[in-house]
Structures are given as C-alpha cells and as structure tokens.
Amino acid sequence: MLTTWTIIRRSEIPAFILATALWTAIPACAEPAGADLTSVRTLAEQGSVRDEIALAGHYFTGNGVTQDAKMAAYWYEKAAGHGNPEAQNEIGYFYQAGIGVPSDSKRAFHWYQLAAASGLPVAKVNLAVAYLRGLGVRKDEGLAVRLLTQAYQAGSGAAATYLGHLYYFGIGVKEDKVAAERWFESGLKLHDPMAAYDLGAFYSAYPDHPRDLPRAAELFRQAADAGYVPAMHSLGLLGINHPELKQSLEQSRSLLETAANAGSWKSSIVLGILARDGRGTPIDEKNAYFHFQVAVLQGGAEADKYIKQSMEALGAKIGAPECQTASSDAKAWFDHHSLALLYVYKEGTPNHDFPTAGIAYAPDGSSAGQLLPLSSS
C-alpha cells in the first residue's frame, strides 16, 4: 500500500536558478494543549497573536476547517500587523505567490523587510531572493549574498544551499564550483532537503563531477523522505535506470506516482513510458496515453515537445475513441491535481514548521537525471 501524503500547496514562481525559490514556514505556534478550534477562533478574534497564527494555519492546511487561502491570508496578516515576524514572513510569501491575496511583490518585500529586521533567518532568505530577482525592489546581488550569509550564520540550511547556487553560476560572486559544493555540504549538515538533492545531482548527473550513484541515491532518498518532490522523481528514475542499486520497481513507481500527483510532468512522462513499454507491468497503451496527456496538462509545451511523436504513435494504435476517453480521464484527474507542488508531507506530520516554496528547476527546466528514452527500443 502506498504511503498517504498530506499535500501542502505552493504557487508557481518562475525559476531563478537551480532552486532559488521563496521559502516560508508556518510559524510553530501550536495552540495550548486541549484547546479546540472554537476556542482558538474566539481567542484570535480577541487579538491573541498566538491564536491568530494557529487559526491561519488551520485554514491554510484545511485542518478542522475547509481549506481557505483567503482566510489563512487574513489571519496571517492580522498577526503580522501585531508585529509577529513569522507571520510577517508568511504573509509576505502569500503576497509574493498570490495565495489568498492578489500577487504584489512590493507588498511582499515590505513584509519580508519587517520580518528580516527582527533577525528571522527565513525572512532574510526571502529578502535575499527578492534582491536577486528584483522582486518589488531594485536588484542588488551583493546585498543578497550578504543576507544569505547572515541567514546561514543564524542556522539556515536553505541559505547555504542558495549560496551554493550563486557560486555554481557565478551570480553576485565569482563562479566557483568547488565552493558551490562546499556550500551544499553545509546545507546538508543543517538538514536542508534541497542541499541533499543538489548534491545527489552532483554525484549522478553533473558531467564535471565524479559519479557515485549509490551516494546519489542515498542523498535523493534523504531529500525525498523530507517530502521534496524533485528528489522523489530523481530517486524513482535512478532506481529504474540502475537496477544494481537494488531499489525495487515498485518503490521506484511509488516515488514517481507521488511526484506525478504533486505536479511533476517529468514523472508523468516516465509513468507513461513504463506503461507503453511494459517495464515491470503489462503493456497498457491507453494508460500510457493517459499519463502522457497528464504530463502535457502539467507541463504544457515543454512537456509536449518530449512526447508529441510518442503520443501520435500511441493514438494511431489505440484509435480516436480510446484517445478521447483517456484525454477526458486525464482532464478530470488534472482538475483535482492542478497545483504544482515542491513539498508533500507524510500523514501525521505536524502542520507547523514546514516550507512552501517555488519551483526548483534550472532555467531550462532540467533537473537531476534524464528522462527515459522515448523510443521503445
């Protein structure tokens, strides 16, 4: 049986570099023991910041109430207005991503500034990304590097990972891939899933780095266990392409299915290839067409360019009525899985202190590992 996952949504933010995403954590302000949602709401309405944050978290995750991003934003902004830095960072992200409020980079920057002024490391990371990309403020790469360095010194693993990206691409600093890897190692020591993922990519996909697939699998697994969707895709694909790693096809498929459910069009393509070619399962061309159609809905033209010819060949085999049915099924599925996610969380994970972040792929859309060949040979 597959693990049940609680899916926390994130809004699409255009990629900056490999994984420069805005990062936010729901403040870890649990309501008092024994408190029910009614009392939390009552206290929040009376101006209790602790309960404003707790109520916002309930609405954001749909815990005990119907999930409502607008109400989550309302209560986070109330707490932010009362001076809580975690809530300021949270509502800043909401304005950046357009979650429950209109997208407004300047407003987001305002809240990040306030939260960062309190010394909150995660807010300094978000403020750094704003300066790197010119989101609501004039670009200033040097200031971004200083903010990330401060956040890292305050214990942020994400800041170390982002510094690794800057050194890898030579943005705001002199390009230095050795230094980049050292920063990823620093992020890994601080338990940042993106750092584990990026190091896994170094060991499995980077042509200028020694290959060590068992080490890559170990790093991808660490990131995947933390709910990092790109790592699930990469670990699933690595297991399929390298059976010597002794990861069962069922495990690989489970990872790819979870990633596809979270919006990974590359995982949907691989699932389609497995069904088309009968890899570990009987050939099912209609199911393959379904997965390919899902991938197109998820990835648009970028996904379509990989599978257009394969879909045309499948369509000729299964016929127009079956194509129409598969496409209709894919549309119905996508309507319930339309949010693209970066993190998913195992059932039972606390609703506080988890990240919601932007997309984490390189500018060309690539990630660690490659798609399986589209030819059936």
Side-chain angles (χ1 to χ4, degrees):
M1 181 179 295
L2 299 181
T3 303
T4 302
W5 296 81
T6 298
I7 298 178
I8 305 304
R9 70 175 176 176
R10 63 123 172 118
S11 181
E12 284 287 347
I13 298 177
F16 169 60
I17 51 177
L18 182 63
T20 299
L22 296 179
W23 182 278
T24 180
I26 287 186
C29 298
E31 54 268 34
D36 59 21
L37 188 55
T38 300
S39 65
V40 169
R41 187 187 304 276
T42 298
L43 291 169
E45 290 171 348
Q46 293 173 355
S48 166
V49 175
R50 177 187 181 91
D51 290 280
E52 287 170 349
I53 292 170
L55 186 57
H58 281 291
Y59 276 114
F60 186 54
T61 61
N63 180 25
V65 294
T66 301
Q67 193 172 35
D68 189 329
K70 289 184 178 180
M71 289 301 295
Y74 171 81
W75 286 109
Y76 278 130
E77 193 152 17
K78 289 276 284 187
H82 288 146
N84 182 276
E86 289 88 357
Q88 289 168 345
N89 178 68
E90 192 73 23
I91 193 61
Y93 178 78
F94 275 38
Y95 274 109
Q96 190 66 64
I99 299 175
V101 291
S103 180
D104 187 334
S105 294
K106 290 184 177 179
R107 189 71 177 157
F109 178 81
H110 163 75
W111 286 119
Y112 292 152
Q113 268 194 316
L114 290 177
S118 72
L120 188 67
V122 68
K124 289 188 177 184
V125 172
N126 283 345
L127 196 60
V129 174
Y131 277 113
L132 282 168
R133 295 184 53 205
L135 299 172
V137 68
R138 185 185 297 273
K139 278 188 177 185
D140 189 332
E141 294 175 352
L143 179 53
V145 171
R146 292 196 295 274
L147 285 165
L148 288 171
T149 302
Q150 292 171 13
Y152 165 69
Q153 291 169 344
S156 170
T161 303
Y162 296 162
L163 284 166
H165 298 145
L166 298 187
Y167 275 95
Y168 189 87
F169 291 101
I171 299 173
V173 293
K174 184 178 179 180
E175 182 180 316
D176 186 337
K177 290 180 169 54
V178 174
E181 187 170 2
R182 285 201 299 266
W183 277 114
F184 292 146
E185 292 284 0
S186 295
L188 181 65
K189 290 177 182 177
L190 290 170
H191 311 292
D192 180 51
M194 290 190 297
Y197 170 79
D198 290 328
L199 283 170
F202 265 59
Y203 285 108
S204 64
Y206 284 46
D208 54 352
H209 191 278
R211 287 173 66 86
D212 185 339
L213 295 184
R215 176 62 173 156
E218 177 187 345
L219 289 162
F220 286 149
R221 186 169 293 107
Q222 182 173 331
D225 286 347
Y228 192 53
V229 173
M232 295 177 187
H233 169 80
S234 293
L235 181 57
L237 187 57
L238 200 63
I240 289 171
N241 284 334
H242 298 277
E244 71 274 12
L245 295 175
K246 298 182 179 179
Q247 177 175 288
S248 73
L249 186 59
E250 182 180 352
Q251 290 173 318
S252 296
R253 184 184 295 277
S254 175
L255 288 161
L256 291 165
E257 287 174 349
T258 302
N261 288 342
S264 171
W265 61 265
K266 294 185 178 184
S267 294
S268 294
I269 287 180
V270 175
L271 289 170
I273 292 171
L274 296 179
R276 183 200 63 189
D277 297 346
R279 297 279 297 274
T281 184
I283 291 176
D284 188 334
E285 291 167 337
K286 181 180 177 181
N287 191 39
Y289 193 91
F290 165 84
H291 285 298
F292 286 158
Q293 188 63 51
V294 166
V296 171
L297 292 171
Q298 292 172 320
E302 190 175 5
D304 185 61
K305 70 182 181 181
Y306 282 101
I307 55 177
K308 184 175 181 179
Q309 290 184 346
S310 190
M311 286 189 72
E312 290 174 352
L314 282 171
K317 286 184 177 181
I318 65 178
E322 293 286 13
C323 286
Q324 185 175 356
T325 299
S327 296
S328 178
D329 290 345
K331 179 63 167 59
W333 183 94
F334 182 73
D335 286 344
H336 290 89
H337 301 80
S338 58
L339 291 170
L341 311 169
L342 191 62
Y343 282 85
V344 294
Y345 294 87
K346 288 183 180 179
E347 189 174 31
T349 300
N351 285 331
H352 57 72
D353 198 26
F354 49 73
T356 354
I359 195 163
Y361 291 115
D364 63 356
S366 63
S367 64
Q370 300 296 321
L371 295 173
L372 289 168
L374 286 176
S375 65
S376 58
S377 58

